[in-house]
Amino acid sequence: MKDPEILLHYIDILLKESNFTRAAQELYISQPYLTQLLKRIEHKLGTKIINRKTTPFTLTKAGVIYYKYLETTIANNQNLAKKLIRYASPKKEIIRIGVLESLGTFLLPELLPDFLAENPNIEIQLSETFPRNSETQLLNEQIDCYIGQTPESLNTELDFFVNGEENYYVIISPQSSYFKKDRFILNQDEYNLKEILQQPFVVSFSNSAIRHQVNGIFHKFNVQPNIVLESKSILTATNLAIKGVGLTISAASIIKRMNRTPINLFPLDHTLIQIKYFIAVKHKKRLDPGLKKLITKFTQLRIQPSIK
């Protein structure tokens, strides 16, 4: 067997079950076949890849190298297929989208299902990374468009199309002394925001779009932030704030996806933090028909998430 994806799956199940009979049953193959397959792999490599003298089974040092080799081979095969598809299927248009993962979880389900249903000849490829990475990829034409927020900070070599806005809140958990029982959305005048900003905060990393906005709020109120934890994802930061690790500033679209729990939301004025979503393309680059349709679809969306 030469299929790296199947081999990797077989190894995963064997490690999980730590028993050839149970693993074979889960894989719908015979136990002798699984045993002989592993022996053939190890004979070809000249070394053991699974330590089966102890339970649970573990990868040997050589097995770790082989496992990573299979992962790399699978990734390379997938990347090759993506690069060749425009030649193998010339009638199919590929649109490569750069987007921050936490933003994509909200915006892409609003944008892509209807778009793909209306355009079956278009395939979407996602690059989920930090905004500055997406911007660089777009400038280098490694992606075709970039979906993000706060277009004011974009490179001047990019053109952008804006849509939507967000309401932002400080999340206050029951562990905070500022929590008000039996309340959900507080009034803007219930607390002094500068006082709130001096509390412990959990935030997203400095290269995220929302962190730039949050830093601006701290700077405006001349507050040195007390940051107890940073996360790559605003989703993680929001959940940690809900669980009382610290306060955080998060958007309506993020908060709505969390399990409802006793928290307070302290609303922030639009003059302090106002996020606009955009789809950006490289300046003066000819746009393929499908990408033009995607931009039109994006600008037609009603992106105004709110919490009641």
Side-chain angles (χ1 to χ4, degrees), residues 99-118:
V99 66
L100 181 65
E101 181 183 359
S102 58
L103 184 60
T105 59
F106 157 58
L107 278 180
L108 295 182
E110 298 290 326
L111 174 63
L112 293 183
D114 288 345
F115 175 77
L116 290 173
E118 296 164 1

Side-chain angles (χ1 to χ4, degrees), residues 63-102:
V64 171
I65 294 173
Y66 181 65
Y67 192 95
K68 291 180 178 178
Y69 162 77
L70 291 176
E71 289 183 319
T72 301
T73 302
I74 292 168
N76 288 339
N77 289 343
Q78 292 172 343
N79 289 334
L80 178 62
K82 288 180 180 180
K83 291 178 180 179
L84 291 178
I85 192 169
R86 63 184 61 208
Y87 306 105
S89 304
K91 293 184 179 180
K92 182 180 286 289
E93 182 178 338
I94 311 298
I95 301 178
R96 300 165 298 174
I97 301 175
V99 66
L100 181 65
E101 181 183 359
S102 58

Side-chain angles (χ1 to χ4, degrees), residues 21-64:
T21 300
R22 290 197 301 270
Q25 290 173 345
E26 184 168 340
L27 293 167
Y28 297 100
I29 58 177
S30 69
Q31 180 268 322
Y33 175 79
L34 180 60
T35 301
Q36 290 302 315
L37 175 64
L38 183 61
K39 287 182 177 179
R40 288 198 300 272
I41 292 172
E42 292 181 331
H43 177 75
K44 183 177 180 180
L45 296 175
T47 183
K48 297 285 186 182
I49 63 170
I50 292 181
N51 179 9
R52 38 215 191 261
K53 292 183 179 180
T54 58
T55 303
F57 290 174
T58 57
L59 290 172
T60 64
K61 291 183 178 180
V64 171

Side-chain angles (χ1 to χ4, degrees), residues 277-294:
Y277 300 113
F278 66 82
I279 183 168
V281 295
K282 191 171 182 181
H283 183 57
K284 292 185 178 180
K285 181 176 173 58
R286 186 184 68 84
L287 304 183
D288 290 334
L291 184 51
K292 290 181 180 178
K293 292 179 182 179
L294 183 67

